Amino acid sequence: MPFFNVHVPRDLFSLDQRKAIADALAHSLQESFGLPPEDKFVVINEHAEGFMFLHPTYKDVERTAGAIVISVHIPASRPMSEKRKLLKEIVQCLHDKVGIRPDDVFVTLIPLPSENFSFGRGFSPFDKGDD
């Protein structure tokens, strides 16, 4: 049930590459969290020049103008060992499937209580109704 919000420079990736990014991110969940392939919720946002500002060398990383930002909403219950694996899988899958340089992948994990996820119809399947 994680949700990916991806920010990329405008016109950097073709439609096929954007689809490959979404597939790579879904695959990273399969490898790290053991989730099924249909657990795929990815939004890719393109930004014109002057709308993304990423320091090129912060923390000894060599970012290019092709750097992307990924925010991942994940259940807060996931252990740190799975979070570490997810971070590595995201970078590896994007490199293997799309050719994105590992230094050009900036990821934030945003833990949320499971009951804060709704897949539609205005309810959460994880809401215990205990309030």
Side-chain angles (χ1 to χ4, degrees):
M1 80 180 152
F3 168 74
F4 292 93
N5 195 349
V6 184
H7 300 274
V8 303
R10 180 173 287 156
D11 299 326
L12 183 64
F13 300 106
S14 68
L15 175 58
D16 286 340
Q17 288 172 312
R18 290 191 305 271
K19 288 178 180 178
I21 289 170
D23 290 344
L25 294 174
H27 184 77
S28 72
L29 290 176
Q30 294 168 37
E31 293 297 315
S32 56
F33 288 3
L35 297 179
E38 60 271 11
D39 196 330
K40 180 179 175 183
F41 300 94
V42 179
V43 173
I44 298 176
N45 306 279
E46 288 190 318
H47 299 280
E49 185 176 344
F51 285 89
M52 289 179 66
F53 301 93
L54 306 174
H55 194 279
T57 59
Y58 186 72
K59 294 290 184 186
D60 295 322
V61 174
E62 298 292 330
R63 289 178 194 84
T64 69
I68 68 173
V69 176
I70 302 170
S71 297
V72 192
H73 294 81
I74 61 170
S77 60
R78 291 290 177 174
M80 192 61 213
S81 59
E82 288 184 0
K83 294 176 191 177
R84 282 186 203 103
K85 188 169 183 180
L86 177 61
L87 291 170
K88 289 180 182 179
E89 286 294 332
I90 288 171
V91 171
Q92 191 63 52
C93 288
L94 289 172
H95 182 261
D96 292 349
K97 297 178 184 295
V98 190
I100 299 172
R101 296 174 63 251
D103 278 9
D104 282 342
V105 181
F106 182 100
V107 181
T108 61
L109 301 180
I110 304 168
L112 297 170
S114 294
E115 64 269 16
N116 287 9
F117 289 86
S118 172
F119 300 102
R121 300 184 184 161
F123 73 94
S124 172
F126 308 104
D127 181 358
K128 296 180 178 108
D130 55 1
D131 58 343

